[in-house]
Amino acid sequence: MTMTIPVESSNALDAADRLLLDEAAVLIPGAAVVVIGSAALAAGVRELGAAVVRVSDDSDASTEALDAGLLSDAQLVLLRLPKSLGALDRIARAVASFAGPEVVLVGAGRLKYMTRGMNEVLLRSFSTLDVSLARQKSRALTARGPLAVSPVEPARTHDSELGLWVVSVGSVFAGASVDIGTRAMLAAFDKLPAFETAIDFGCGTGILAAALKRRSPQARVIASDLSADAIESAQATATANGVDIEVVRERGLGTHPDASVDLVVLNPPFHDGGAVSVDSAREMFAEARRVLKPGGQLWTVWNSHLGYTGALVRAVGPTTQVSRNAKFTVTASTKSSDRLSHYGSATN
């Protein structure tokens, strides 16, 4: 079937997205369709005549979480294949568990990120699997016949050193463990200033937010992340540790007013795919400055070789080194009242 991709979505689609729409084109008209992993596909699905379109995309805070409410009446699921087999297993099990017996799952991805292991994972949750021919370095997988499987349970571990539970859902960074950067930040928490309101920005499993609440039970602590998996993980981590924190899914810190927060803690990502990238970290520094009160602090942990001190001075204000080990540096950046924060200073 030949399809026409609407103008408003065509520029956002790559070869794998286009293949996915082509493979599913005959199934879409009149169907209740769930799109997972690529919000850009929604316009194309509507153009092809879907009766209902719902979207779950971890990189788009306006979309839905991957749960029974999303999938209960789905007849067709279109999936941009994740790179992680664990993430794929979670999605496949959720579709097989929550959707109806006639549901069809069509997934597509770029060949360089696909493995035969994906076939094996899908066949744990579905009885049949069809593999498309490759096109423009992309391939599609079509799974039918959902099996009687259980949804993936969150991973849980108790970190005896920290005295905290860590709960992980889906593909959250570091899973149910504490990565060494976060551990370096936690080791410096005894030097934190007093605070009434704090945000764990890019919270992941929410372990920093849980530790902040343990440290200051009367404070308002917020765990913020764009990822639906991270938000679910952070809430579960808070519950497991018996602390009450606010959990907000948002892009940046968009739901928080300017100059409203005393403290932001941040363990920023520094990879975009397989490449080192500092762009997202710089954007996060600027957003942290916006929400901090004058005199408020951004505490950041970063790989020492990235040399973020200058960027933190320019984005936030005077920056001091709190701690440093062979791999990680923890800094405290104080928001200057002067908007031209690049006149701040860096000290070790």
Side-chain angles (χ1 to χ4, degrees), residues 15 21 34 47 54 65-66 69 74 97 118 158 183 217 224 254 292 294 299 302 315 319 333 345-346:
L21 286 173
V34 170
E47 181 77 5
R54 291 193 296 274
L66 181 68
S97 299
M118 291 180 169
H158 185 266
R183 201 172 290 277
S224 168
L292 283 170
W299 278 49
W302 38 276
T319 296
S333 304
S345 60

Side-chain angles (χ1 to χ4, degrees), residues 162-177:
L162 301 174
L164 290 168
W165 286 96
V166 187
V167 185
S168 172
V169 174
S171 55
V172 175
F173 174 69
S177 63

Side-chain angles (χ1 to χ4, degrees), residues 50-61:
V52 177
V53 182
R54 291 193 296 274
V55 182
S56 179
D57 186 344
D58 228 32
S59 64
D60 188 334

